[in-house]
Amino acid sequence: MPEVFPWVRHLTSDELRAFTLELVEALSDAAELEVDVTTQEVIAGWRATARIKADPVDYAQARKATSGDFGPVEVSA
């Protein structure tokens, strides 16, 4: 996996295993059902996880507990 996705080095072994399983399932769906959007979502999601874990400051900030109301969420189309 590191040869294809170098950023997996920032994932734990359990996370790497989870990514691999999700990717295999998504690739299977792509092959059998001709649905490849899931594959792109799996890769993007895990890459984002690796990206935040690659920066210790960002990762520490992301792990902090939050509280309160952050206001309404706007959904753009």
Side-chain angles (χ1 to χ4, degrees):
M1 287 295 257
E3 292 82 21
V4 178
F5 303 107
W7 44 262
V8 299
R9 70 182 178 279
H10 299 290
L11 302 177
T12 66
S13 59
D14 286 341
E15 291 169 334
L16 178 56
R17 188 176 307 111
F19 167 58
T20 302
L21 291 173
E22 283 184 49
L23 183 59
V24 168
E25 290 173 354
L27 290 170
S28 177
D29 286 348
E32 298 295 322
L33 305 173
E34 298 180 12
V35 177
D36 64 346
V37 173
T38 306
T39 304
Q40 296 167 14
E41 291 173 353
V42 168
I43 294 169
W46 280 104
R47 184 170 183 245
T49 299
R51 180 180 293 136
I52 193 116
K53 292 183 82 174
D55 184 329
V57 174
D58 285 346
Y59 188 54
Q61 181 67 29
R63 293 181 48 93
K64 285 185 180 179
T66 60
S67 63
D69 184 351
F70 295 100
V73 174
E74 293 184 27
V75 178
S76 56

